[in-house]
Amino acid sequence: METGSPEETGIPVAEPAWRGLHPALVRVRRLLIVVWTAVLTVAVGLLLGLLVGPAWAAFAALPPALAVWGWRLVERNWRSWRYAERGDDLLISRGVLWREETVVPYGRMQLVEVTSGPVERRFGLATVQLHTAAAATDATIPGLSPAEAERLRDRLTELGEARSAGL
């Protein structure tokens, strides 16, 4: 007798326990928007004002206008990121307009690294980077607390070693 998928047979499928990113990631990205907006505004205003004419310096208002739009998009993007640890793989979901879901089998993981640049460290954040045999399936989870990043690294390394032993 053939059996179908759990949905076809009526067996309930457990929804994975999704986890979100640390809220400090929103502050970091908004800080970067402010810094880059200031640099671009001054550069555009000076370059156009000196090279083309003072009237053209009004285009310096364009970067702040785009920054207002970006300010709102940062939070929407942050809310779209999530990850879930399942029995045999790690799910990473992200994207607002184009949803992207990455499934990384534990047995295919070759390297799990935790990185944290100076700005990330200042805000208490870290990034987990997963490397697999196929370069196209490398995955990143930004904006984790350092403790969560280390826990995830240790767990994924342990599960990866256990799963790859059978290959």
Side-chain angles (χ1 to χ4, degrees):
M1 177 176 177
E2 284 187 40
T3 59
S5 69
E7 293 84 10
E8 293 171 350
T9 59
I11 300 171
V13 177
E15 178 71 21
W18 291 100
R19 294 174 178 245
L21 304 181
H22 198 284
L25 184 63
V26 174
R27 291 194 311 268
V28 168
R29 291 188 173 169
R30 285 181 172 168
L31 173 67
L32 291 173
I33 286 176
V34 169
V35 168
W36 282 109
T37 299
V39 169
L40 286 173
T41 301
V42 170
V44 168
L46 283 176
L47 287 174
L48 289 178
L50 293 174
L51 298 177
V52 183
W56 285 90
F59 279 101
L62 192 57
L66 292 173
V68 169
W69 179 60
W71 188 272
R72 293 184 53 150
L73 291 182
V74 164
E75 188 169 349
R76 285 184 65 195
N77 180 267
W78 170 77
R79 277 188 270 124
S80 75
W81 276 85
R82 59 190 187 153
Y83 66 98
E85 300 169 60
R86 296 193 308 182
D88 295 322
D89 50 34
L90 177 74
L91 297 176
I92 303 170
S93 178
R94 63 195 167 279
V96 177
L97 292 177
W98 287 272
R99 299 284 306 157
E100 186 175 333
E101 193 164 290
T102 304
V103 179
V104 184
Y106 296 134
R108 299 289 182 189
M109 290 183 201
Q110 292 184 329
L111 174 69
V112 180
E113 45 179 1
V114 175
T115 59
S116 186
V119 176
E120 285 179 311
R121 280 194 309 273
R122 172 71 178 93
F123 284 86
L125 295 173
T127 298
V128 172
Q129 175 96 30
L130 309 165
H131 299 279
T132 63
T137 58
D138 287 357
T140 303
I141 305 173
L144 299 175
S145 70
E148 172 63 10
E150 290 174 15
R151 182 204 66 81
L152 189 59
R153 178 200 59 209
D154 294 344
R155 176 160 164 70
L156 294 176
T157 302
E158 178 184 312
L159 288 168
E161 288 173 356
R163 299 293 195 281
S164 66
L167 294 179

